[in-house]
Amino acid sequence: MFQFVRSRLFVAITLFSATHGLLVVGPKFIRSNQNYTLVLTNFNSSLYNVELKVQIDGTTHGGETILNLTRTVDVQQFQNRLVTFEFPNLVPGNYKITLVGQRGFNFYEETDLILKTKSVSGLIQLDKPVFKPGDTVNFRVIVLDSKLKPPANVKTVNVTIQDPRGHVIRKWSAGRLHVGVFENKFDIPPAPLLGMWKITVNDDEEDLVTKSFQVQEYVPSTFEIDVYPTKVPLEKDQALDLTLTAKYFTGNPVQGTAVLHLYLKHGLLDQKKTWQVDGMRQVQLNFKRNLYIYDPQQDVHVNFTFIEEYTNRTLTKYKPITVYQSQYRVELVKESPTFRPGMPYKCDIHVKYQDGTPAANVETEVTIVGCNDEYVKTRTSDKNGMIKQTLLPSADSETINIEVKIDGNDLLDENIDKVEIATDAYVKIELKSQ
């Protein structure tokens, strides 16, 4: 799976005056033909309303005025106020923003702004974060404009691969972009410098993005890890009881640190927990968010990382854990796949716990449709978890439907179809003993 890396961090100006109780936050960089927004906050306990003049000026390096935008705004007490300016096409020069208090409010601040002449950014994707000598590195460079579209004015990029000492290992000059994407690969030498390697992308005028990746010798693991439920997870518990294991291939326990990430629906992280483990540990994770299950079962996922104590060798296992709506499951065992209208038909309802063991003395609601004696009855499983049924399908029945509910949960809804026959003659064999 490729990994995303953003090319820039958002850099902000922050003008803060505790004396005047005013906070102003906005971007440090400006770009042509884009909106520029400031956030002003008045937390002055003695002034219900303050009025400010916000001015953005630009001059050429020779001192000629090229930009002058002014807005006067009022900011009420303990409120935020957004101020937006629309920039025209900007040329290189000196730009600054100035805030001046009005109507007796004594305030003055100014700071420089930096014009970014290009409005493109880059992403790098790698097929994995760590490589070993002789591996092939597959990479992809994605170049986007400020609207997250392929830029119309950038057709090629320069891509450079460097080892940990800064030596250029591979270079693509003027790599052509196809819909904003440049893809390629290169082989790591059999005996490379180990450590952090770097991919750098630029477009002749500025660096767009840099991504580091690690090259290290392959060391086979000497131990294995696992995570599994200690008991069957149920929706009503809103928790997982798990067993974590770490052991050498010889069977001896491994000491180290276990880090567990729990993800509920839609891959959302619910929590992260860390424990010390000596071969095995049982843990409980109480869900921080409620998990609602609308089907008989649903998977949550755990990412189990184990770090060996003395070597820092690390193993990771990503595993689905099934959470069940009910502690029971129901199966229908039929004497034959189809029934003959007007003839007795035997079937057994098996009630089991989710681990497969028989569930004895469990009260169920059984609904039968398609027989002479259609009914909804409360039936209780025997010591083997079975509810034996002998049905008499009506002469005109096409289908028998059997539904089973336990504690209001629909656990079985199955149809049995009429046999398709061309004759009324048949032979039925029934085993009376074993």
Side-chain angles (χ1 to χ4, degrees):
M1 181 180 293
F2 284 100
Q3 298 184 339
F4 289 85
V5 180
R6 291 201 177 274
S7 64
R8 285 171 175 69
L9 295 175
F10 174 76
V11 179
I13 60 169
T14 303
L15 304 178
F16 172 75
S17 173
T19 304
H20 298 95
L22 186 67
L23 175 66
V24 181
V25 179
K28 179 73 172 177
F29 296 121
I30 59 175
R31 300 179 187 273
S32 294
N33 304 310
Q34 292 192 5
N35 289 343
Y36 180 87
T37 300
L38 289 173
V39 180
L40 297 87
T41 304
N42 173 16
F43 56 91
N44 192 314
S45 59
S46 60
L47 291 177
Y48 177 76
N49 186 75
V50 299
E51 187 172 309
L52 287 168
K53 181 174 75 172
V54 184
Q55 183 170 328
I56 299 179
D57 296 301
T59 59
T60 64
H61 298 303
E64 180 184 352
T65 299
I66 52 178
L67 182 68
N68 185 276
L69 302 175
T70 303
R71 293 280 302 276
T72 300
V73 296
D74 61 287
V75 187
Q76 295 183 2
Q77 190 178 52
F78 305 126
Q79 298 290 320
N80 295 330
R81 179 71 184 271
L82 300 181
V83 183
T84 300
F85 295 89
E86 294 182 5
F87 285 152
N89 186 46
L90 303 176
V91 298
N94 303 311
Y95 295 88
K96 68 177 181 179
I97 182 170
T98 305
L99 293 95
V100 182
Q102 305 291 299
R103 297 181 181 273
F105 178 53
N106 185 21
F107 183 88
Y108 182 91
E109 291 283 356
E110 69 174 45
T111 189
D112 293 332
L113 300 175
I114 299 174
L115 173 64
K116 301 293 286 186
T117 57
K118 295 184 67 64
S119 57
V120 295
S121 58
L123 309 172
I124 291 178
Q125 297 175 317
L126 297 174
D127 54 348
K128 55 184 180 179
V130 180
F131 298 85
K132 63 181 185 294
D135 274 357
T136 297
V137 179
N138 297 283
F139 70 92
R140 178 184 298 152
V141 176
I142 303 174
V143 180
L144 304 171
D145 63 16
S146 59
K147 297 181 180 179
L148 301 182
K149 295 181 179 179
N153 59 338
V154 180
K155 303 298 183 183
T156 61
V157 291
N158 305 314
V159 181
T160 305
I161 312 296
Q162 294 175 290
D163 68 13
R165 293 183 182 174
H167 301 144
V168 176
I169 304 300
R170 184 73 186 273
K171 186 173 183 178
W172 290 264
S173 298
R176 183 163 295 279
L177 296 174
H178 299 279
V179 199
V181 177
F182 173 75
E183 287 185 305
N184 220 305
K185 61 184 179 181
F186 69 95
D187 295 328
I188 297 175
L193 283 174
L194 303 179
M196 297 303 295
W197 288 45
K198 184 169 65 174
I199 302 178
T200 302
V201 181
N202 65 64
D203 64 348
D204 292 330
E205 296 187 22
E206 63 177 344
D207 288 343
L208 296 179
V209 62
T210 297
K211 166 65 177 173
S212 296
F213 61 92
Q214 190 170 25
V215 177
Q216 63 182 28
E217 290 283 3
Y218 172 69
V219 179
S221 175
T222 58
F223 64 95
E224 61 183 355
I225 61 173
D226 198 9
V227 54
Y228 55 87
T230 308
K231 67 176 186 179
V232 176
L234 300 176
E235 179 189 16
K236 67 181 180 67
D237 295 334
Q238 292 294 300
L240 293 181
D241 289 281
L242 302 174
T243 298
L244 313 178
T245 64
K247 62 182 180 180
Y248 293 107
F249 293 131
T250 59
N252 294 328
V254 184
Q255 294 180 346
T257 302
V259 181
L260 205 67
H261 293 79
L262 172 62
Y263 300 88
L264 299 183
K265 288 185 177 180
H266 312 302
L268 296 177
L269 178 65
D270 182 70
Q271 58 187 281
K272 172 187 174 183
K273 290 288 184 69
T274 302
W275 303 273
Q276 294 302 309
V277 174
D278 186 0
M280 183 179 73
R281 180 161 183 162
Q282 294 182 344
V283 301
Q284 184 178 66
L285 297 177
N286 295 307
F287 299 159
K288 294 187 180 300
R289 301 178 182 86
N290 288 331
L291 178 68
Y292 299 105
I293 299 179
Y294 302 100
D295 296 314
Q297 64 189 58
Q298 178 177 307
D299 285 346
V300 299
H301 295 83
V302 294
N303 192 65
F304 174 31
T305 300
F306 186 86
I307 306 167
E308 191 179 17
E309 182 175 7
Y310 300 108
T311 66
N312 284 335
R313 291 182 182 175
T314 302
L315 289 183
T316 298
K317 174 168 273 190
Y318 187 77
K319 192 170 184 178
I321 304 291
T322 302
V323 180
Y324 297 94
Q325 190 179 58
S326 170
Q327 64 178 318
Y328 305 108
R329 56 188 171 96
V330 176
E331 298 174 359
L332 183 65
V333 179
K334 299 171 283 190
E335 67 171 356
S336 63
T338 55
F339 70 89
R340 299 174 65 89
M343 301 298 298
Y345 181 84
K346 293 182 179 181
C347 60
D348 296 332
I349 297 171
H350 285 205
V351 183
K352 303 178 180 180
Y353 293 106
Q354 293 292 356
D355 62 3
T357 58
N361 303 315
V362 177
E363 189 176 277
T364 70
E365 180 184 295
V366 179
T367 302
I368 306 291
V369 177
C371 296
N372 288 330
D373 184 19
E374 295 187 353
Y375 62 79
V376 177
K377 290 184 179 179
T378 298
R379 303 292 302 274
T380 301
S381 61
D382 62 19
K383 64 179 181 179
N384 297 316
M386 297 179 60
I387 302 172
K388 296 182 178 294
Q389 299 284 304
T390 299
L391 309 178
L392 184 61
S394 56
D396 58 352
S397 290
E398 297 289 331
T399 302
I400 299 174
N401 176 257
I402 300 177
E403 296 182 6
V404 179
K405 292 183 179 181
I406 301 178
D407 299 330
N409 295 316
D410 296 317
L411 300 185
L412 179 72
D413 185 353
E414 191 165 334
N415 290 326
I416 307 169
D417 294 326
K418 181 183 73 172
V419 64
E420 298 293 337
I421 55 174
T423 175
D424 291 334
Y426 70 95
V427 175
K428 181 178 180 179
I429 301 175
E430 185 174 342
L431 182 64
K432 293 294 186 182
S433 62
Q434 296 186 4

Short mmCIF file of all heavy atoms in Angstrom, two decimals, residues 286-321:
data_model
loop_
_atom_site.label_atom_id
_atom_site.label_comp_id
_atom_site.label_asym_id
_atom_site.label_seq_id
_atom_site.Cartn_x
_atom_site.Cartn_y
_atom_site.Cartn_z
N ASN A 286 -12.50 -1.77 27.10
CA ASN A 286 -13.86 -1.26 27.13
C ASN A 286 -14.01 -0.20 26.04
O ASN A 286 -13.23 0.75 25.99
CB ASN A 286 -14.19 -0.67 28.50
CG ASN A 286 -14.17 -1.71 29.59
OD1 ASN A 286 -14.83 -2.74 29.49
ND2 ASN A 286 -13.39 -1.47 30.63
N PHE A 287 -15.00 -0.37 25.17
CA PHE A 287 -15.16 0.56 24.06
C PHE A 287 -15.39 1.97 24.57
O PHE A 287 -16.20 2.20 25.48
CB PHE A 287 -16.35 0.15 23.18
CG PHE A 287 -16.21 -1.21 22.54
CD1 PHE A 287 -17.32 -1.90 22.09
CD2 PHE A 287 -14.96 -1.80 22.40
CE1 PHE A 287 -17.20 -3.15 21.50
CE2 PHE A 287 -14.82 -3.05 21.81
CZ PHE A 287 -15.95 -3.72 21.37
N LYS A 288 -14.68 2.92 24.00
CA LYS A 288 -14.90 4.33 24.35
C LYS A 288 -16.10 4.90 23.61
O LYS A 288 -16.75 5.83 24.08
CB LYS A 288 -13.64 5.14 24.05
CG LYS A 288 -12.46 4.75 24.93
CD LYS A 288 -11.29 5.68 24.73
CE LYS A 288 -10.11 5.27 25.61
NZ LYS A 288 -10.45 5.29 27.05
N ARG A 289 -16.39 4.36 22.44
CA ARG A 289 -17.60 4.72 21.70
C ARG A 289 -18.52 3.51 21.66
O ARG A 289 -18.05 2.37 21.57
CB ARG A 289 -17.27 5.15 20.27
CG ARG A 289 -16.32 6.35 20.17
CD ARG A 289 -16.02 6.64 18.70
NE ARG A 289 -15.09 7.73 18.54
CZ ARG A 289 -13.77 7.61 18.55
NH1 ARG A 289 -13.22 6.41 18.73
NH2 ARG A 289 -12.98 8.66 18.39
N ASN A 290 -19.84 3.74 21.71
CA ASN A 290 -20.77 2.63 21.65
C ASN A 290 -20.74 1.97 20.28
O ASN A 290 -20.70 2.64 19.26
CB ASN A 290 -22.19 3.10 21.95
CG ASN A 290 -22.39 3.46 23.41
OD1 ASN A 290 -21.73 2.88 24.27
ND2 ASN A 290 -23.27 4.39 23.69
N LEU A 291 -20.74 0.65 20.29
CA LEU A 291 -20.77 -0.13 19.06
C LEU A 291 -22.17 -0.73 18.91
O LEU A 291 -22.61 -1.52 19.74
CB LEU A 291 -19.73 -1.25 19.09
CG LEU A 291 -19.71 -2.17 17.86
CD1 LEU A 291 -19.24 -1.41 16.63
CD2 LEU A 291 -18.84 -3.39 18.11
N TYR A 292 -22.88 -0.33 17.85
CA TYR A 292 -24.22 -0.85 17.57
C TYR A 292 -24.15 -1.79 16.39
O TYR A 292 -23.61 -1.45 15.33
CB TYR A 292 -25.20 0.28 17.28
CG TYR A 292 -25.35 1.26 18.44
CD1 TYR A 292 -24.75 2.51 18.40
CD2 TYR A 292 -26.07 0.90 19.57
CE1 TYR A 292 -24.86 3.41 19.45
CE2 TYR A 292 -26.20 1.79 20.64
CZ TYR A 292 -25.60 3.04 20.57
OH TYR A 292 -25.72 3.91 21.62
N ILE A 293 -24.70 -3.00 16.56
CA ILE A 293 -24.64 -4.04 15.53
C ILE A 293 -26.05 -4.29 15.02
O ILE A 293 -26.96 -4.59 15.80
CB ILE A 293 -24.02 -5.33 16.10
CG1 ILE A 293 -22.59 -5.06 16.57
CG2 ILE A 293 -24.03 -6.43 15.05
CD1 ILE A 293 -21.91 -6.26 17.17
N TYR A 294 -26.22 -4.17 13.71
CA TYR A 294 -27.54 -4.36 13.11
C TYR A 294 -27.63 -5.67 12.34
O TYR A 294 -28.69 -6.02 11.83
CB TYR A 294 -27.86 -3.18 12.19
CG TYR A 294 -27.83 -1.85 12.92
CD1 TYR A 294 -26.72 -1.02 12.83
CD2 TYR A 294 -28.89 -1.46 13.73
CE1 TYR A 294 -26.69 0.19 13.52
CE2 TYR A 294 -28.86 -0.26 14.42
CZ TYR A 294 -27.75 0.56 14.31
OH TYR A 294 -27.71 1.75 15.01
N ASP A 295 -26.55 -6.40 12.25
CA ASP A 295 -26.51 -7.73 11.65
C ASP A 295 -26.16 -8.73 12.75
O ASP A 295 -25.78 -8.34 13.86
CB ASP A 295 -25.48 -7.78 10.52
CG ASP A 295 -25.86 -6.85 9.37
OD1 ASP A 295 -27.04 -6.87 8.97
OD2 ASP A 295 -24.98 -6.11 8.89
N PRO A 296 -26.24 -10.03 12.45
CA PRO A 296 -25.87 -11.01 13.49
C PRO A 296 -24.46 -10.83 14.03
O PRO A 296 -24.18 -11.16 15.17
CB PRO A 296 -26.04 -12.35 12.77
CG PRO A 296 -27.08 -12.08 11.72
CD PRO A 296 -26.82 -10.68 11.26
N GLN A 297 -23.56 -10.29 13.21
CA GLN A 297 -22.18 -10.11 13.67
C GLN A 297 -21.51 -8.99 12.90
O GLN A 297 -21.96 -8.60 11.83
CB GLN A 297 -21.38 -11.41 13.48
CG GLN A 297 -21.22 -11.81 12.02
CD GLN A 297 -20.63 -13.18 11.87
OE1 GLN A 297 -21.18 -14.16 12.38
NE2 GLN A 297 -19.51 -13.28 11.17
N GLN A 298 -20.43 -8.47 13.48
CA GLN A 298 -19.68 -7.40 12.84
C GLN A 298 -18.24 -7.46 13.33
O GLN A 298 -17.97 -7.74 14.49
CB GLN A 298 -20.27 -6.04 13.18
CG GLN A 298 -19.52 -4.86 12.58
CD GLN A 298 -20.20 -3.54 12.90
OE1 GLN A 298 -21.40 -3.38 12.65
NE2 GLN A 298 -19.45 -2.61 13.47
N ASP A 299 -17.31 -7.19 12.40
CA ASP A 299 -15.89 -7.22 12.76
C ASP A 299 -15.41 -5.86 13.23
O ASP A 299 -15.76 -4.83 12.65
CB ASP A 299 -15.04 -7.65 11.56
CG ASP A 299 -15.14 -9.13 11.27
OD1 ASP A 299 -15.64 -9.87 12.13
OD2 ASP A 299 -14.71 -9.57 10.18
N VAL A 300 -14.63 -5.87 14.31
CA VAL A 300 -13.78 -4.73 14.66
C VAL A 300 -12.35 -5.19 14.39
O VAL A 300 -12.10 -6.37 14.12
CB VAL A 300 -13.98 -4.30 16.12
CG1 VAL A 300 -15.41 -3.88 16.37
CG2 VAL A 300 -13.59 -5.42 17.08
N HIS A 301 -11.39 -4.28 14.45
CA HIS A 301 -10.02 -4.66 14.09
C HIS A 301 -9.05 -4.18 15.16
O HIS A 301 -9.20 -3.10 15.73
CB HIS A 301 -9.64 -4.06 12.73
CG HIS A 301 -10.45 -4.61 11.59
ND1 HIS A 301 -11.71 -4.12 11.27
CD2 HIS A 301 -10.20 -5.62 10.72
CE1 HIS A 301 -12.18 -4.82 10.24
NE2 HIS A 301 -11.29 -5.72 9.89
N VAL A 302 -8.05 -5.02 15.41
CA VAL A 302 -6.98 -4.65 16.32
C VAL A 302 -5.65 -4.71 15.59
O VAL A 302 -5.42 -5.60 14.75
CB VAL A 302 -6.94 -5.57 17.57
CG1 VAL A 302 -8.18 -5.39 18.41
CG2 VAL A 302 -6.77 -7.03 17.18
N ASN A 303 -4.81 -3.75 15.87
CA ASN A 303 -3.44 -3.72 15.35
C ASN A 303 -2.50 -3.94 16.53
O ASN A 303 -2.37 -3.08 17.40
CB ASN A 303 -3.14 -2.39 14.66
CG ASN A 303 -1.86 -2.45 13.85
OD1 ASN A 303 -1.75 -3.17 12.87
ND2 ASN A 303 -0.87 -1.69 14.28
N PHE A 304 -1.88 -5.12 16.57
CA PHE A 304 -1.07 -5.54 17.71
C PHE A 304 0.41 -5.41 17.34
O PHE A 304 0.88 -6.09 16.42
CB PHE A 304 -1.43 -6.98 18.08
CG PHE A 304 -0.58 -7.61 19.15
CD1 PHE A 304 -0.01 -6.84 20.16
CD2 PHE A 304 -0.35 -8.98 19.17
CE1 PHE A 304 0.76 -7.42 21.15
CE2 PHE A 304 0.41 -9.57 20.15
CZ PHE A 304 0.98 -8.78 21.14
N THR A 305 1.12 -4.54 18.03
CA THR A 305 2.57 -4.36 17.81
C THR A 305 3.30 -4.79 19.07
O THR A 305 2.95 -4.38 20.18
CB THR A 305 2.90 -2.89 17.50
OG1 THR A 305 2.21 -2.50 16.30
CG2 THR A 305 4.40 -2.70 17.29
N PHE A 306 4.34 -5.63 18.88
CA PHE A 306 5.13 -6.12 20.02
C PHE A 306 6.59 -5.76 19.80
O PHE A 306 7.15 -6.03 18.74
CB PHE A 306 4.97 -7.63 20.18
CG PHE A 306 5.64 -8.18 21.41
CD1 PHE A 306 4.97 -8.19 22.63
CD2 PHE A 306 6.94 -8.65 21.36
CE1 PHE A 306 5.59 -8.68 23.77
CE2 PHE A 306 7.57 -9.15 22.49
CZ PHE A 306 6.89 -9.16 23.70
N ILE A 307 7.21 -5.15 20.82
CA ILE A 307 8.61 -4.72 20.76
C ILE A 307 9.40 -5.55 21.77
O ILE A 307 9.18 -5.46 22.99
CB ILE A 307 8.75 -3.22 21.07
CG1 ILE A 307 7.85 -2.41 20.14
CG2 ILE A 307 10.20 -2.77 20.92
CD1 ILE A 307 7.68 -0.97 20.57
N GLU A 308 10.33 -6.37 21.26
CA GLU A 308 11.13 -7.21 22.14
C GLU A 308 11.99 -6.35 23.07
O GLU A 308 12.57 -5.35 22.64
CB GLU A 308 12.01 -8.15 21.30
CG GLU A 308 12.67 -9.24 22.11
CD GLU A 308 13.52 -10.16 21.24
OE1 GLU A 308 13.85 -9.76 20.10
OE2 GLU A 308 13.86 -11.25 21.70
N GLU A 309 12.10 -6.75 24.33
CA GLU A 309 12.71 -5.89 25.35
C GLU A 309 14.18 -5.59 25.10
O GLU A 309 14.62 -4.45 25.20
CB GLU A 309 12.54 -6.55 26.73
CG GLU A 309 13.09 -5.70 27.86
CD GLU A 309 12.82 -6.33 29.22
OE1 GLU A 309 12.32 -7.48 29.28
OE2 GLU A 309 13.13 -5.67 30.23
N TYR A 310 14.98 -6.60 24.75
CA TYR A 310 16.43 -6.41 24.71
C TYR A 310 16.96 -6.04 23.33
O TYR A 310 18.05 -5.46 23.22
CB TYR A 310 17.12 -7.69 25.21
CG TYR A 310 16.72 -8.03 26.62
CD1 TYR A 310 15.89 -9.12 26.88
CD2 TYR A 310 17.16 -7.27 27.70
CE1 TYR A 310 15.50 -9.43 28.17
CE2 TYR A 310 16.78 -7.57 29.00
CZ TYR A 310 15.96 -8.66 29.23
OH TYR A 310 15.58 -8.95 30.51
N THR A 311 16.23 -6.36 22.27
CA THR A 311 16.73 -6.10 20.91
C THR A 311 15.92 -5.03 20.17
O THR A 311 16.35 -4.57 19.12
CB THR A 311 16.69 -7.39 20.07
OG1 THR A 311 15.31 -7.79 19.89
CG2 THR A 311 17.46 -8.51 20.75
N ASN A 312 14.75 -4.67 20.72
CA ASN A 312 13.83 -3.73 20.05
C ASN A 312 13.30 -4.26 18.72
O ASN A 312 12.75 -3.50 17.93
CB ASN A 312 14.48 -2.36 19.83
CG ASN A 312 14.53 -1.55 21.11
OD1 ASN A 312 13.73 -1.75 22.01
ND2 ASN A 312 15.49 -0.65 21.19
N ARG A 313 13.48 -5.55 18.46
CA ARG A 313 12.86 -6.12 17.27
C ARG A 313 11.34 -6.03 17.41
O ARG A 313 10.80 -6.26 18.49
CB ARG A 313 13.28 -7.58 17.09
CG ARG A 313 14.74 -7.73 16.71
CD ARG A 313 15.08 -9.19 16.50
NE ARG A 313 16.49 -9.37 16.17
CZ ARG A 313 17.09 -10.54 16.02
NH1 ARG A 313 16.40 -11.66 16.19
NH2 ARG A 313 18.37 -10.60 15.73
N THR A 314 10.70 -5.70 16.31
CA THR A 314 9.27 -5.37 16.36
C THR A 314 8.49 -6.24 15.38
O THR A 314 8.89 -6.39 14.22
CB THR A 314 9.05 -3.89 16.04
OG1 THR A 314 9.79 -3.09 16.97
CG2 THR A 314 7.58 -3.53 16.12
N LEU A 315 7.39 -6.78 15.85
CA LEU A 315 6.44 -7.49 14.99
C LEU A 315 5.08 -6.83 15.13
O LEU A 315 4.72 -6.34 16.19
CB LEU A 315 6.33 -8.97 15.38
CG LEU A 315 7.52 -9.89 15.07
CD1 LEU A 315 7.18 -11.32 15.46
CD2 LEU A 315 7.89 -9.83 13.59
N THR A 316 4.32 -6.86 14.03
CA THR A 316 2.97 -6.28 14.03
C THR A 316 2.00 -7.27 13.41
O THR A 316 2.31 -7.92 12.40
CB THR A 316 2.95 -4.96 13.24
OG1 THR A 316 3.81 -4.02 13.87
CG2 THR A 316 1.54 -4.38 13.19
N LYS A 317 0.84 -7.37 14.01
CA LYS A 317 -0.22 -8.24 13.47
C LYS A 317 -1.52 -7.46 13.47
O LYS A 317 -1.93 -6.90 14.49
CB LYS A 317 -0.36 -9.52 14.30
CG LYS A 317 -1.54 -10.39 13.86
CD LYS A 317 -1.50 -11.77 14.50
CE LYS A 317 -0.68 -12.73 13.68
NZ LYS A 317 -0.82 -14.14 14.13
N TYR A 318 -2.17 -7.41 12.29
CA TYR A 318 -3.47 -6.73 12.13
C TYR A 318 -4.53 -7.82 11.98
O TYR A 318 -4.42 -8.68 11.11
CB TYR A 318 -3.44 -5.84 10.89
CG TYR A 318 -4.65 -4.96 10.72
CD1 TYR A 318 -4.82 -3.81 11.48
CD2 TYR A 318 -5.63 -5.27 9.78
CE1 TYR A 318 -5.91 -2.99 11.31
CE2 TYR A 318 -6.73 -4.46 9.60
CZ TYR A 318 -6.86 -3.33 10.37
OH TYR A 318 -7.96 -2.52 10.19
N LYS A 319 -5.54 -7.78 12.86
CA LYS A 319 -6.45 -8.91 12.92
C LYS A 319 -7.90 -8.46 13.15
O LYS A 319 -8.14 -7.60 14.01
CB LYS A 319 -6.03 -9.86 14.05
CG LYS A 319 -6.71 -11.21 14.05
CD LYS A 319 -6.04 -12.13 15.05
CE LYS A 319 -6.63 -13.53 15.03
NZ LYS A 319 -5.94 -14.44 15.98
N PRO A 320 -8.85 -9.04 12.40
CA PRO A 320 -10.26 -8.76 12.69
C PRO A 320 -10.74 -9.59 13.87
O PRO A 320 -10.36 -10.75 14.04
CB PRO A 320 -10.97 -9.19 11.40
CG PRO A 320 -10.09 -10.24 10.81
CD PRO A 320 -8.68 -9.88 11.20
N ILE A 321 -11.58 -9.00 14.70
CA ILE A 321 -12.21 -9.68 15.83
C ILE A 321 -13.71 -9.55 15.65
O ILE A 321 -14.23 -8.44 15.53
CB ILE A 321 -11.79 -9.07 17.18
CG1 ILE A 321 -10.26 -9.07 17.33
CG2 ILE A 321 -12.46 -9.80 18.33
CD1 ILE A 321 -9.64 -10.43 17.49
#
